[in-house]
Amino acid sequence: MDRERLVRHLSAAVGAAHVLTDPALKASYESDFTGRHTGRARCVVRPADTAEVAAVLRLCHAAGVPVLPQGGNTGLVGGSVPGPDGDEVVLSLRRLTGIGPLDPDARRITVGAGVPLAELHRRLRPRGWDFAVDLAARDSATLGGMIATNAGGERVVKYGTTRANVAGLEAVLSDGSVLDRLAGLPKDNTGYDLTDLLVGSEGTLAVVTRARLRLVPRPAHRATALLALGSLAAAVGVLARLRLLDSLELAEFFTADGLALVLEQSGLPAPFRTAHPVYLLVECAGRRDPSEELAEALDGADVRDDVRDVAVALDAPDRRRLAAYRERHTESINAVGIPLKLDVTVPLAVLPDFVAELPALLAGRARPYLFGHLAEGNLHVNLLDVAAADEEAVTEAVLRRVAAVGGSISAEHGIGRAKARHLHLTRSAADIAVMRSIKAALDPDRLLSPHTLLPPGP
Ligand code: MLT
Ligand code: ZN
């Protein structure tokens, strides 16, 4: 089917106003927000519901045209933007914004793939409930995209990644058939768990259209503390102590360089009178005020000497103020360059050594900014000022070292296009063969996100 004919059919399926072919209108769907990953879409299609998503996929399947599903386009590994050849139809799920009734007895809610995370939080929190996954991109990131990438974020230490918080899914296969696993029953041992399979599949197996989400009661009390520490090893030690608290929900770290950049870019006042090598942002939450147990833990003989300074916040504006020092890293780094972003997991026991060895590994080829989710050993290695000619070698050096110490080359951002050629570093040949078989079974014509995760290969 030629391009014009496909556009005509897609327009009939979703309405002409929702098929974008004008380069100016397509542009924001063709580039990620860092500007590192850009491409060209054949067109952008914006269906309103599952039936329209299925119709779009049926049409593209009949035409043999590849489709790239896209949520809030906050991904950082190029999985949400089309390739350079202008072949793919970008399938934006942002109009699927339905939020079903809160079901407090089942502790569930059903949402459309296009619901932004912050919107869901706004609906739930005043009613005493919460969707436990939270991340800095909450205003733009959509539930569908978070499910596709198994997003992690800031509260994994207590609640796990997105996978642990999704009970059921509805998704559309590349031929337009609809998989309905939305019931999300607490007990259901009827064969392969298709929901778990689709979470984290990065749009390569099916297009998520709706999700049944697990909810948690929203703790009434919170205490946040920003700790100044002498080293990353000290931060790991303090975290080990704080992990004994059931109320611990968040443990995020950053360094002196990152804080200096955030202060410079944001104009925020410095949190302490002097700079310190490492900072640990922690938050405890509970039905009772957790501030006392947090203070006691920080005053314990085993951590007292490690904590050089501390700022505590109890009310929401103050807590947001402390969180901003960590959450504004991404935008501050973007403001001064286009970073090479390597999101990795390193086992906690070797994290301090890994970080200490990074300068030698980078050999002056990059200006690193390090921050991340400490409890999971999830390090965001953000590299500025990398010459184009050095990008591949620097990436290889860091990711090979991650593999050598038993880590993962992607902690929470996925593989996307950016890391597809490095997948073999932390997944075995047998793993990759099984993944390719699953891809072939669900999407035999390789029409869904064809260059993501498992590009065509041997
Ligand atoms: C974060 O933790 O802030 C996100 O993963 C985004 C990033 O790595 O820049
Ligand atoms: Zn992160």
Side-chain angles (χ1 to χ4, degrees):
M1 197 184 304
D2 66 33
R3 188 173 296 240
E4 281 72 28
R5 199 146 153 245
L6 179 63
V7 167
R8 269 203 314 280
H9 285 297
L10 291 170
S11 300
V14 305
H18 297 296
V19 180
L20 314 179
T21 52
D22 179 337
L25 296 177
K26 286 191 300 168
S28 68
Y29 298 84
E30 295 176 320
S31 172
D32 76 343
F33 72 90
T34 68
R36 173 164 288 276
H37 301 288
T38 56
R40 213 158 51 80
R42 178 185 285 258
C43 61
V44 177
V45 187
R46 296 166 32 91
D49 57 24
T50 305
E52 288 191 4
V53 171
V56 168
L57 286 167
R58 267 195 305 275
L59 287 167
C60 292
H61 187 258
V65 167
V67 174
L68 185 87
Q70 187 187 84
N73 197 11
T74 57
L76 292 165
V77 285
S80 60
V81 291
D85 52 16
D87 214 25
E88 290 153 278
V89 166
V90 169
L91 174 56
S92 169
L93 281 308
R94 270 185 251 180
R95 290 179 68 219
L96 276 68
T97 52
I99 301 184
L102 169 66
D103 183 347
D105 296 337
R107 296 179 164 219
R108 302 275 198 269
I109 197 164
T110 301
V111 299
V115 173
L117 176 62
E119 175 62 24
L120 178 63
H121 285 161
R122 275 193 293 274
R123 284 291 179 99
L124 293 170
R125 290 178 176 176
R127 300 166 74 182
W129 290 92
D130 207 359
F131 177 62
V133 182
D134 199 7
L135 34 82
R138 59 183 72 80
D139 289 318
S140 311
T142 58
L143 269 305
M146 291 171 59
I147 290 166
T149 53
N150 186 26
E154 300 169 351
R155 294 179 197 271
V156 177
V157 63
K158 171 103 175 181
Y159 300 107
T161 61
T162 297
R163 179 174 283 118
N165 294 279
V166 173
L169 285 181
E170 176 191 77
V172 186
L173 296 178
S174 63
D175 66 1
S177 47
V178 178
L179 287 182
D180 181 355
R181 300 297 304 147
L182 254 190
L185 300 173
K187 296 185 98 172
D188 183 1
N189 279 354
T190 52
Y192 301 146
D193 189 332
L194 301 179
T195 297
D196 264 13
L197 175 65
L198 295 186
V199 178
S201 61
E202 299 190 46
T204 62
L205 301 180
V207 179
V208 173
T209 45
R210 288 195 290 166
R212 185 89 173 139
L213 303 177
R214 296 183 211 280
L215 303 180
V216 294
R218 171 97 173 139
H221 301 279
R222 287 179 181 275
T224 305
L226 181 64
L227 316 178
L229 302 150
S231 67
L232 193 52
V236 172
V238 169
L239 174 65
R241 173 68 185 81
L242 295 181
R243 272 187 130 155
L244 301 177
L245 304 178
D246 277 346
S247 58
L248 184 71
E249 278 204 356
L250 172 147
E252 301 279 305
F253 81 97
F254 49 96
T255 68
D257 290 349
L259 178 61
L261 185 66
V262 168
L263 298 183
E264 177 192 302
Q265 293 301 318
S266 66
L268 291 172
F272 302 112
R273 262 204 290 274
T274 56
H276 300 272
V278 171
Y279 300 91
L280 182 61
L281 178 78
V282 296
E283 187 163 288
C284 290
R287 285 201 308 192
R288 283 195 297 264
D289 182 358
S291 54
E292 211 165 295
E293 66 173 13
L294 177 59
E296 257 170 43
L298 294 175
D299 201 33
D302 41 355
V303 303
R304 208 170 28 220
D305 293 342
D306 283 327
V307 179
R308 294 179 169 191
D309 209 341
V310 56
V312 176
L314 300 180
D315 64 20
D318 279 353
R319 286 192 286 103
R320 276 198 293 275
R321 189 175 53 78
L322 289 187
Y325 295 121
R326 157 63 181 91
E327 290 197 342
R328 294 186 76 166
H329 270 64
T330 300
E331 68 190 58
S332 301
I333 292 167
N334 286 352
V336 293
I338 297 181
L340 179 60
K341 290 175 90 78
L342 302 174
D343 154 54
V344 299
T345 302
V346 176
L348 260 187
V350 293
L351 185 66
D353 286 347
F354 178 90
V355 167
E357 287 163 13
L358 258 184
L361 214 56
L362 297 173
R365 293 171 293 182
R367 180 157 55 105
Y369 287 95
L370 308 178
F371 60 96
H373 316 285
L374 189 62
E376 296 82 47
N378 181 181
L379 184 63
H380 292 314
V381 180
N382 280 243
L383 303 174
L384 283 174
D385 304 339
V386 186
D390 287 336
E391 278 177 10
E392 188 58 28
V394 165
T395 302
E396 275 277 319
V398 175
L399 298 186
R400 279 191 182 280
R401 186 76 195 127
V402 167
V405 300
S408 169
I409 65 159
S410 172
E412 59 171 5
H413 293 173
I415 293 296
R417 288 165 186 259
K419 287 179 175 168
R421 63 189 171 283
H422 307 289
L423 181 61
H424 66 96
L425 291 175
T426 55
R427 296 302 297 258
S428 70
D431 282 358
I432 293 173
V434 170
M435 288 199 259
R436 284 197 182 279
S437 307
I438 294 170
K439 169 77 174 166
L442 270 70
D443 179 22
D445 300 322
R446 297 191 53 83
L447 293 178
L448 286 179
S449 302
H451 304 291
T452 298
L453 179 59
L454 297 167

